[in-house]
Amino acid sequence: MSLASRRWESAPPLWLALAALVPCLLIALPLVYVALRASEAGAAGVAAELIRPRTLELLLNTVALGVSVTVISSVLGVAAAWCVERSDIPFRPFWRIAAALPLAVPAFVASFAWASIDVAFQGMAGAILILSLSHFPLVYLPVAAALRGMDPAFEDVSRSLGRSPARTFFGVVLPQAWPALGAGALLVLTHMLAEFGALALLRVQTFTTAIFASYELQFDSATAALQSAVLLALTLPAAFGEMRLRRGVRVSRSGRGARRTQRAIALGRAKPFVLAGLAALIALSTAVPAGMLVYWAAVGASTTRGLPDIWPAIGGTLSLALPGAVIVTALALPLVLAAIRHPGPASRLVDRLPYVVHGLPGVVVALALTFFAIRFLPDLYQTSALLFAAYAALFLPLAQSALRASVELAPPRLEEVARSLGKGPFLAFVSVTLPAILPGVGASLALMTLELARELTATLLLAPIGVTTLATEVWSRANDGQYAAAAPFAALLVALSALPVYVFTRRSLELHDL
């Protein structure tokens, strides 16, 4: 590569630098807000808030929930992945898809379904159970992919040395799967620290629910800001850890050539028990919530409760999710282009900064944007523009992940040729690079539409007056105990999510088998 080419790659054009600056400013606002409000309270105010018994209670609840759900989800995810990928279990293709389907049921929908069965599921124990069942696929999917990609030669060597299957698993298999397991576990932990809707329905108090309550009782309260600071201290290590593990999972192989076929481990007499365990896991995580939605939808249909509000909720969902997906994708693209085409310390920083805020709950991001909008841009308050800004701050990392593969595959030399023919940097990008990365843009738009249609907390706080979505209708009605009225909205959300989850899982399996 010529020296001029290297210089062109290392220095991003002005349009790209300015475009990357916009999302950086957005995601910096929550961090600035927390620091600013904490400083306004002063050292005495911060100390008084931190030593309150209420703060200690919220801290213990938040940590207990996060650690418990992460550990249980990790155990369930690893166990399911090993049974599906390494054992001689029958109907393997079915179990591969079924183990990922709990992702189609949003956590707050699953919580509403379980809470409608009996109030016994409300409380910390019920929350740990329900959220573990909802989130174990976040561990199952990466671990299953890691198990499929491992070279079986290392396990053969271990077994030839007389080690038992258990010792081989813990000594050989698990260490190779650890990066995937760690990434999945940290993702579960960040979800738990940011969870609001499910915990509100299950009557569990954590920092997220307390911040929301403080916001409702006293608008822009110092208490909410200080609680946000404590929550930020909890989320930053998890966010940095997740960001570090996202660099990629590398699995060693014993040599070059065609990949060796994994040899299924015979379960023997344990096979019926393994099948029963997998069936119970899928039933509890997917069938029970779906069955309760069907039951309550049937009850609601007999009374037509809530049915007139379905179309406004669908319209509100689409009016926010579709343009929101376009905005988030457009803001994420400059970050990915800068990191891949123009590597350097600055581009790496702007590429990784969104992952820091990704661990924050929507309520903190909404508080920050409301704080700055009222003081500097009051006309933006209670508008869709402010909500789109919150969506960008919360979901940029997901859009970056969807775009990255396509940008990495797009050859930069074609853009250089366009530049040499007299086109400016932006026109060269639009005419050459953008058509080449359209598959990644389409994947990001689809993923963002799905995620924004299910988003709850920021939408509750920042949606324009009179705008409702499927997610907000489920939460508001279920929070009031109107299960029959909430069921149709919840069923539509699940239906909206099920097909993308199925397609994503099938596509990941097909790509791996190529």
Side-chain angles (χ1 to χ4, degrees), residues 5 11 103 110 113 135 154 157 162 172 197 230 248 299 309 349 362 395 431 511:
S5 179
L103 291 178
H135 288 82
F154 298 103
V157 172
V172 177
V230 179
V299 172
D309 298 326
L349 175 63
F395 294 104
S431 60
L511 288 175

Side-chain angles (χ1 to χ4, degrees), residues 389-402:
Y391 287 163
L394 290 169
F395 294 104
L396 272 174
L398 297 181
Q400 288 172 262
S401 299

Side-chain angles (χ1 to χ4, degrees), residues 76-86 92 95-97 99-100 136-150 173 177 180-181 251 259 262 505 508-509 512-513:
L76 293 175
V78 171
W82 187 90
C83 291
V84 171
E85 299 299 333
R86 288 303 183 87
R92 190 189 310 274
W95 293 115
R96 280 178 169 173
I97 301 297
F136 83 86
L138 296 177
V139 176
Y140 160 77
L141 287 172
V143 172
L147 291 176
R148 289 195 299 273
M150 287 181 190
V173 176
L181 170 58
V251 180
R259 185 178 63 191
Q262 295 282 359
T505 305
S508 65
L509 293 173
H512 183 273
D513 293 335

Side-chain angles (χ1 to χ4, degrees), residues 234-258:
L234 293 176
T235 57
L236 284 180
F240 274 113
E242 180 191 349
M243 182 179 64
R244 188 176 184 85
L245 287 169
R246 280 175 181 265
R247 293 177 182 175
V249 178
R250 300 184 65 86
V251 180
S252 299
R253 306 196 70 81
S254 61
R256 298 180 179 179

